[in-house]
Amino acid sequence: MALFSRKKKIKAGLILDSGLWRYIALEGAPGHCRVVSHISGSLSSGQISDDDPFAKGGALLGSAFREVAEQIDDKSIPICLSLPTNEALLRIVNMPGMTLPEAKMAMKYEFENYFPFSVDDGIYDMAELDYPMPNGAEEKRFLVAAARLSLIDNIMKFASDAGFLLDAIEPAQIAAERAMTPVIPIDDACVYLYVGAFRSILILSWKGKGVFYRNMSIGFDNPSVVVEAEADDQLVAFVKEVRSSLQFALSQIRGFDPKSIYISGPGVSESLVPLLKEALTVENLSLVDPFDLHGIELDTEDKYWNIPLGLALRR
């Protein structure tokens, strides 16, 4: 699901984040992809307000796109760009008896009941999913992704000005989920925890599709420096937020009984895992390497590849 898209065989994922960017291009079908190109870099200080390239409605994205464009030789490969979690809003909505086209039409009139801006100021897309209910039942619901139209317009303008062929603009939550989801999901009900450098995401996945998303404004830019996890206030606060978010999600989705939690992301540390195991009551908690999961080789010591990988895997 994306707010704008077009199709082509080789696809690339691009993330612009606080002070950094990552680009990866993949060729092949899911489960049989290979890396065509991967490039990483830092965004020059002073060009982006508060180090956020999406600040001020994306008005400053032009300099970021130009800087990245100088490092990428083949800009004919369509790119899927990550929309940060604080700019991409996701909602699960219930519209009984409607087909997807009917639900998209009806959302024009329901939009302001779910999002903090008017439908005229926003843009949205929807996807149909099965939603777990008690006693093994399911019902059809819809995932709605929305963003401010002015931001999407600026992204498309500046990407085009820099010579990029924009294939899609996708919420970072969806890309992170795709990177951690196997081609054939192992569990009907599982939890994905993406631990980022600045922001993290908790996702409840039912049969390979997210049915709950919670953004958390805690991350770990340099997790290797944490030695005594028990004494680290940020780690403890993060674990508490994960636990309370999961408890809330399970109270809302009565038919969801996860047996596994899969963890990944640049903010993961050895200190974090035992704290999560102690705090959460799920049977299996394990670390996931998205590249190993999808059978893709990437020779790099850089971090922050989960989301661009998920973007490039979009088909």
Side-chain angles (χ1 to χ4, degrees), residues 195-248:
V195 186
F198 310 104
R199 295 176 290 271
S200 300
I201 311 165
L202 180 73
I203 304 167
L204 272 61
S205 174
W206 176 252
K207 296 183 178 179
K209 293 186 178 181
V211 294
F212 178 91
Y213 298 85
R214 172 61 60 89
N215 300 332
M216 295 175 284
S217 57
I218 301 178
F220 303 93
D221 187 23
N222 192 4
S224 62
V225 303
V226 179
V227 179
E228 297 294 336
E230 295 79 7
D232 189 272
D233 292 340
Q234 190 179 18
L235 272 174
V236 172
F238 178 75
V239 171
K240 286 182 177 178
E241 185 165 355
V242 171
R243 181 176 59 189
S244 62
S245 296
L246 182 57
Q247 289 173 342
F248 172 78

Side-chain angles (χ1 to χ4, degrees), residues 3 11 33 41 46 53 65 90 110 113 127 130 144 188 198 217 225 280 285 291 306:
L3 301 173
K11 291 192 177 182
C33 290
F65 273 116
L90 302 180
E110 297 290 332
N113 292 328
D130 293 322
V144 188
D188 280 353
F198 310 104
S217 57
V225 303
L280 305 177
L285 189 150
F291 286 92
N306 288 54

Side-chain angles (χ1 to χ4, degrees), residues 12-17 22 54 61 65 79-85 87-88 155 166 168-176 199 307-308 311:
L14 173 65
I15 182 173
L16 303 173
D17 208 338
R22 298 287 185 269
F54 293 88
L61 276 168
F65 273 116
I79 63 168
C80 182
L81 179 73
S82 168
L83 196 62
T85 58
E87 300 290 354
I155 291 172
L166 197 60
I169 302 167
E170 185 170 69
Q173 301 95 309
I174 303 295
R199 295 176 290 271
I307 291 175
L311 296 167

Side-chain angles (χ1 to χ4, degrees), residues 4-6 78-81 155-156 159 164-169:
F4 167 80
S5 68
R6 58 166 69 96
I79 63 168
C80 182
L81 179 73
I155 291 172
M156 296 179 68
F164 287 107
L165 179 61
L166 197 60
D167 177 70
I169 302 167

